[in-house]
Amino acid sequence: MDKTLNAAEQGKLWATYMGNTMSTCVLNYFLQHVEDQDIKKIIEFALGISKQFVQTITDIFNQEGYPIPAGFTEEDVNLQAPRLFTDDFYLHYLKYTGKAGINLYGIAIPYMVRADTRNLITQCVDLTTKLLNQVNEMLIAKGLILGAPIIPYPEQVDFVKKQKYLNGFFGKVRPLNALEIAHLHDNALNNATSKVVLIGFHQTSQLQQTKDYFAKGIEIADKHLDKCTKMLEDENLSSVPLLDPLVTTSTTPPFSDKLMMFHKVDMFIMRLRTYGNALAFASRHDLAAQYGKFILEVGNYVEDGANVLIDHGWLEQIPQAADREALASV
C-alpha cells in the first residue's frame, strides 16, 4: 500500500490545521476574560484539544517533509484587548464551532487510508463529541439550552398515501415533520450565533472592506434567521431568541482582519453544508425552495469573501494537483 499522503488526507489535514490554529487564537483570547469557572474549564478543554490536533498534524507533516501551513499565530490575536463577548456566549460559540468540526471530521473518516491519519481523525471526532456533550450539559445546567421544539408523539405507525405530502406552494400543506423541524431550528440557531460573531467582528475590524463584508454578513444572517423562525412560528413552534446582547460595546480588535475574514468565510462554507443537509431532508416543496435560495445567497457571499482574502494576500492555497500544462511549458 502506498504510504504517501493521498489527496483526501492532505486536504483534510490542511483544513484541520487551519481551523485549529484559528481556534487556538480565539480560545486563548476567551480565556483572558472568562469569569465563570465552569465555562472556563470547558474553554480550557477545547483549547487543549485544538493544540493537540495542531501538534499531531505538525508531526505528520514534518515526518513527510511537507510544508507546514502558515495558519494563524499569536500575531493574529491581541490578548490585551477588552472583552468582546459575554461568558454565556462562549458556550453558544463552542457549540456552533464544535458542530462545524464534527461535520469536517465525520466526513473525513472514510477517506483516511494511512493508520496515522485515520487515528488522528478518529480522535478528532471522539474529542469534539466529548466537547459538545460538555457544552450541552453546561447549557442545560445554566438554563441556556436552546433545544428543538417539542412535538407530540405519534399515536401509531403511519405511511404517506398521497403526493400532496410534498405540497408547499399550493393546496393543503401538511405540518412540518420532525426532521424538517430539527434542521430549521438548527439553522436558526446557527444564524443567531453567527450574527453575534459578525456584530463583534464588524465593530472591531480595521479595514473598511472587511467592515463592509461583515455588515453584509449580518444582513444575511438576520434574514435567514427570520425566514427559519417564521416557518417554525407559522406552525406554532418555538424558534431561538436573538443572542445579539451577548456582544459588548468594545471596539478594540482582539483579532487580525485576516483571522476574522477567514473565520467567517470558513463558517459560511460550513453553512452551505448544513443547508445542503437540510435540503436533503426537506420533503415540502416550499421548504426545499427556501434552502435553495439560502444556498445561492451564501455561495455568493463566500465568493465575495474569497475575493477579499485574495485582495489582501490572506488566502492560503489548499494543496492541489500538478498543473501538467504549466510543467510542460517550462
Side-chain angles (χ1 to χ4, degrees), residues 10-294:
Q10 288 187 46
K12 294 299 183 180
L13 290 182
W14 182 91
T16 301
Y17 184 93
M18 294 291 292
N20 281 284
T21 55
M22 179 188 71
S23 292
T24 298
C25 294
V26 173
L27 296 173
N28 263 323
Y29 167 70
F30 287 176
L31 281 177
Q32 306 309 305
H33 300 289
V34 63
E35 296 174 353
D36 186 301
Q37 292 304 302
D38 294 328
I39 296 175
K40 182 178 181 180
K41 289 177 183 177
I42 296 178
I43 296 173
E44 287 173 337
F45 176 71
L47 177 59
I49 64 177
S50 280
K51 287 182 175 179
Q52 181 178 333
F53 297 164
V54 168
Q55 185 58 57
T56 303
I57 295 170
T58 299
D59 292 343
I60 292 173
F61 282 166
N62 282 335
Q63 176 186 320
E64 295 296 311
Y66 196 99
I68 306 297
F72 298 92
T73 68
E74 58 187 19
E75 295 180 0
D76 293 297
V77 58
N78 175 14
L79 298 180
Q80 280 69 54
R83 175 192 283 271
L84 186 57
F85 305 106
T86 66
D87 282 6
D88 288 352
F89 180 69
Y90 296 151
L91 291 175
H92 294 299
Y93 177 87
L94 287 171
K95 184 166 184 174
Y96 170 63
T97 53
K99 288 187 293 184
I102 281 288
N103 216 319
L104 172 67
Y105 308 140
I107 289 174
I109 287 177
Y111 302 157
M112 300 298 106
V113 176
R114 280 176 37 159
D116 54 354
T117 62
R118 202 163 59 242
N119 291 339
L120 167 64
I121 297 300
T122 301
Q123 188 176 55
C124 288
V125 171
D126 291 345
L127 290 174
T128 306
T129 300
K130 184 177 180 180
L131 171 64
L132 283 170
N133 284 332
Q134 289 183 11
V135 170
N136 266 344
E137 287 169 6
M138 189 59 60
L139 286 167
I140 293 168
K142 295 186 177 298
L144 300 172
I145 192 73
L146 301 175
I150 302 297
I151 60 174
Y153 292 174
E155 296 179 358
Q156 61 187 25
V157 175
D158 203 359
F159 293 87
V160 176
K161 300 175 179 65
K162 297 182 179 179
Q163 276 71 30
K164 68 180 182 181
Y165 183 84
L166 308 177
N167 285 354
F169 298 110
F170 307 105
K172 180 175 173 56
V173 179
R174 63 162 172 79
L176 294 166
N177 67 38
L179 288 173
E180 291 166 340
I181 293 168
H183 285 284
L184 271 174
H185 183 272
D186 183 56
N187 282 307
L189 181 55
N190 287 340
N191 279 293
T193 310
S194 178
K195 186 184 174 189
V196 175
V197 178
L198 285 160
I199 291 171
F201 287 0
H202 178 249
Q203 70 189 39
T204 58
S205 56
Q206 298 297 288
L207 301 173
Q208 191 60 48
Q209 190 179 23
T210 58
K211 197 174 286 290
D212 292 344
Y213 185 75
F214 298 138
K216 177 64 174 177
I218 292 170
E219 291 178 17
I220 293 173
D222 213 19
K223 181 169 75 172
H224 291 195
L225 173 58
D226 286 346
K227 294 283 188 182
C228 293
T229 295
K230 187 176 187 306
M231 294 196 80
L232 290 168
E233 292 181 347
D234 282 350
E235 305 210 14
N236 303 305
L237 297 168
S238 60
S239 185
V240 300
L242 286 176
L243 302 177
D244 300 14
L246 303 184
V247 192
T248 72
T249 57
S250 174
T251 57
T252 303
F255 310 115
S256 66
D257 280 40
K258 170 189 171 184
L259 183 148
M260 292 190 288
M261 279 298 306
F262 177 88
H263 190 303
K264 291 319 301 174
V265 170
D266 190 49
M267 292 306 293
F268 269 96
I269 289 172
M270 287 297 177
R271 191 77 47 77
L272 289 172
R273 184 171 291 167
T274 58
Y275 283 156
N277 289 341
L279 176 59
F281 290 101
S283 301
R284 268 176 38 176
H285 292 152
D286 59 335
L287 189 54
Q290 186 62 74
Y291 281 127
K293 292 177 182 177
F294 285 172

